[in-house]
């Protein structure tokens, strides 16, 4: 999964130039005068040049083709084959490699059925229809799993239907305002605007007994452009599979929150999976199957903004149509396989730089996730070349190929839970999921690493000309298109780097373990997300015919690791972090006023963040000077992110420990900033907001105290 790829993306006309040779790279890109975190950059400059010369476009293309040769859903034999393939590539590059299994609860579909009748008893449809278009060379493989929702309940229900638009909180509130009761009903809603698990969560809370989630052509089909195989958008039978896990409660194996589900974990240590699983059934369908249901639906006409692109007037229901749903899910504890490859650090072997991408796919997964895997393998190829020349990073680099991300970030979460103590020393986690869906680079990060990402993209050539950074700026002059949070803009004049919500494997690292994280991708028109059509043919036709963006992403991802592993002083920008938090507090304070919570006292939190800003400036001076006890300074700098965790976690979701970032309970993908306070203010719960302000103030004071001790 990947949050940034599921929204409508901006169409960018790329100037597809020939792949850039490294000689040209030198001509176009001047070496940096100095780099934050390095006393002198000369030596590192030559290491980075050697690294950048290695990732290879055509090899990345071959790797992508191999990885996507067969459907490879988590825990299948084909998934295991991809684990072996990645392990072999890691070993060939000289990484100390192991395949790490976990035993986790997964559901596979035994039977899924959707039928509908009109009031006269005439059958309108019987599905789900098989995904198929004339001209796709892959979609007839019998191993393509039938569309289903991971974490769905099992059941057999028949009921009237209500249309809930995107299934957002405001959509359900609107239905309630119109006195449309959802008890005993089946909700039909469209994909987009939030995480699909949130749609099911809200429907379940309101008494619905089943949910159908379909892809409206307005959001990623013919309304956007030509559907596959003519263009990149979703064809009539295309379905978005996906997890409906209540990810905003906790990610990972539903039976082991906070505990690693290693093979030897006794069953007595597993808990009920109810903590992050829906109790009702939900089924994803195509607009081919949704259209007859929506067209027959009676009741009030769809309000402003609810009409999709199907060629008839939408109505809310109920009435006009009855639907029968069957979801028979085979829940079993199954084995999944992470692949972990290490390069031991020469100076600080216990300080890890972790790089990760998931490998499992709903079907072929050319874009999601194996464009990321191919990029990571070429980054590993580059690191391997450095190792053969006798290079040793100062810190340990750990490359991770996660399994079962699609079902709920499971492989990464279990690994994080197993290594909590060691991860206190991990200096960064660099994620890539959808590496390449098109030419449009984007990034999200904790504020302390936003400048780090911008800075290094200046050194990587873009296939379109100039550097990745230059293209990124060119495409985002206003820089607000990809904002994932409701926070006000704070980095004026700079290209926008988003905030980390959820929807990919950085979640356990940042929000559970407090490891500073980034997430990168290169986007484009992409309408086949989580369908059988996200295959090698679609990729070479639409995303990256010459694999030069795979090469670009390999370079960016690898450079993140190489540069971070060798810094003299950890290049965290806490001045920017304090600035960001201060803006978040002001924004929530304003909202509290608007919500009638005027008596809330924000002064202590404001004082704490001001203290943090002062301490950050003090630390920044030390970081720039880079003299004296750098080991001690680095330890102090690293502890700041951990200080922003609270032991008790967020209200009703203790697994989420970060006081500044969490996936929103009602958004799922998008970040909610200072979530404890924000969500209490949103809910107009004054006592809870006051208590959460205290928790935030404590965390900020703690972080400031840590930074003040820097010397
Ligand atoms: Zn993904």
């Amino acid at each position: 999964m990947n949050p940034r790829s599921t929204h409508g993306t901006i169409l960018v006309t790329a100037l597809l130039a020939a792949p850039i040779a490294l000689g040209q790279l030198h001509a176009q890109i001047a070496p940096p005068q100095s780099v934050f975190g390095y006393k002198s950059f000369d030596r590192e400059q030559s290491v980075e040049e050697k690294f950048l010369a290695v990732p290879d476009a055509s090899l990345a293309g071959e790797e992508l083709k191999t990885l996507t040769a067969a459907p490879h859903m988590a825990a299948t034999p084909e998934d295991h084959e991809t684990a072996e393939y990645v392990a072999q590539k890691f070993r060939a590059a000289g990484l100390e490699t192991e395949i790490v299994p976990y035993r986790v609860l997964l559901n596979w579909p035994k039977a899924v059925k959707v039928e509908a009748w009109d009031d006269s008893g005439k059958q309108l449809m019987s599905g789900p229809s098989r995904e198929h278009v004339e001209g796709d060379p892959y979609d007839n493989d019998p191993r393509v799993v039938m569309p289903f929702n991971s974490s769905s309940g099992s059941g057999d229900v028949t009921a009237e239907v209500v249309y809930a638009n995107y299934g957002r909180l405001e959509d359900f509130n609107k239905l309630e305002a119109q006195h449309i009761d959802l008890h005993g009903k089946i909700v039909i809603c469209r994909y987009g605007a939030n995480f699909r698990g949130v749609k099911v969560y809200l429907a379940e809370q309101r008494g619905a007994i089943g949910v159908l989630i379909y892809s409206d052509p307005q959001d990623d089909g013919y309304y956007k452009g030509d559907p596959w195989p003519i263009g990149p958008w979703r064809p009539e039978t295309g379905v978005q599979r996906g997890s409906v896990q209540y990810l905003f409660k906790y990610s990972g194996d539903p039976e082991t929150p906070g505990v690693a589900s290693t093979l030897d974990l006794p069953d007595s240590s597993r808990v009920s999976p109810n903590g992050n699983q829906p109790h009702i059934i939900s089924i994803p369908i195509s607009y081919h199957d949704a259209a007859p249901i929506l067209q027959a639906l009676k009741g009030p006409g769809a309000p402003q903004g609810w009409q999709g692109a199907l060629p008839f007037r939408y109505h809310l229901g109920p009435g006009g149509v009855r639907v029968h749903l069957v979801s028979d899910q085979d829940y079993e504890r199954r084995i999944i396989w992470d692949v972990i490859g290490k390069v031991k650090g020469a100076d600080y072997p216990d300080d890890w730089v972790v790089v990760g991408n998931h490998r499992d796919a709903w079907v072929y997964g050319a874009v999601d996730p194996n464009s990321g895997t191919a990029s990571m393998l070429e980054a590993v190829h580059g690191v391997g070349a450095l190792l053969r020349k006798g290079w040793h990073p100062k810190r340990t680099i750990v490359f991770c190929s996660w399994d079962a991300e699609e079902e709920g970030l499971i492989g990464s979460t279990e690994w994080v839970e197993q290594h909590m103590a060691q991860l206190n020393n991990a200096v960064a986690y660099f994620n890539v999921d959808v590496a390449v869906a098109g030419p449009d680079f984007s990034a999200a990060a904790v504020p302390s690493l936003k400048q780090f990402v911008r800075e290094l993209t200046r050194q990587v050539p873009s296939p379109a000309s100039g550097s990745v950074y230059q293209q990124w700026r060119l495409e985002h002059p206003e820089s607000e298109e990809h904002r994932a949070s409701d926070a006000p803009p704070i980095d004026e004049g700079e290209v926008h780097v988003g905030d980390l919500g959820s929807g990919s494997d950085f979640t356990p690292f940042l929000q559970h373990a407090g490891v500073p994280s980034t997430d990168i991708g290169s986007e484009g028109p992409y309408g086949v997300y989580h369908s059988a059509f996200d295959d090698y043919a679609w990729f070479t036709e639409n995303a990256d015919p010459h694999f030069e963006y795979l090469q670009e992403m390999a370079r960016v991802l690898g450079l993140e690791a190489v540069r971070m592993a060798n810094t003299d002083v950890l290049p965290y920008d806490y001045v920017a972090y304090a600035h960001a938090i201060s803006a978040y507090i002001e924004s929530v304070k304003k909202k509290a006023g608007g919500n009638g919570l005027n008596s809330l006292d924000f002064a202590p939190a404001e004082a704490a963040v001001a203290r943090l800003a002062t301490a950050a400036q003090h630390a920044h001076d030390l970081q720039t000077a880079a003299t004296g006890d750098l080991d001690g300074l680095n330890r102090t700098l690293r502890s700041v992110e951990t200080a922003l965790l609270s032991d008790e976690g967020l209200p009703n979701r203790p697994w989420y420990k970060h006081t500044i970032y969490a996936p929103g309970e009602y958004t799922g993908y998008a970040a909610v900033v200072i979530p404890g306070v924000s969500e209490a203010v949103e809910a107009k719960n004054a006592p809870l907001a006051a208590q959460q302000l205290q928790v935030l103030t404590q965390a900020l004071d703690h972080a400031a105290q840590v930074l003040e001790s820097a010397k």
Side-chain angles (χ1 to χ4, degrees), residues 71-80 104 106-108 334-337 359-362 402-407 410:
H72 52 288
M73 190 168 69
T76 61
E78 291 82 1
D79 172 39
H80 189 256
V104 304
L106 296 175
N107 61 305
W108 286 355
R334 298 182 156 97
I335 310 287
I336 61 167
W337 307 276
R359 188 188 67 249
D360 66 298
W362 280 121
W402 308 121
D403 204 352
E405 187 269 0
E406 293 295 4
E407 285 79 357
I410 296 177

Side-chain angles (χ1 to χ4, degrees), residues 1-2 358 368-369 405-406 433-434 503-504 530:
M1 34 181 158
N2 182 298
H358 76 96
D368 180 8
E405 187 269 0
E406 293 295 4
D433 185 335
V434 169
S504 197
H530 287 186

Side-chain angles (χ1 to χ4, degrees), residues 189-202:
C189 56
R190 52 172 158 165
Y191 270 115
N194 61 8
F195 169 58
R196 66 184 86 66
V198 172
K199 302 174 198 284
V200 177
Y201 180 58
L202 292 168

Side-chain angles (χ1 to χ4, degrees), residues 30-35 40-42 45 459:
Q33 296 297 309
S34 67
V35 168
S40 155
F41 196 64
D42 295 350
Q45 171 69 23
Q459 299 312 124

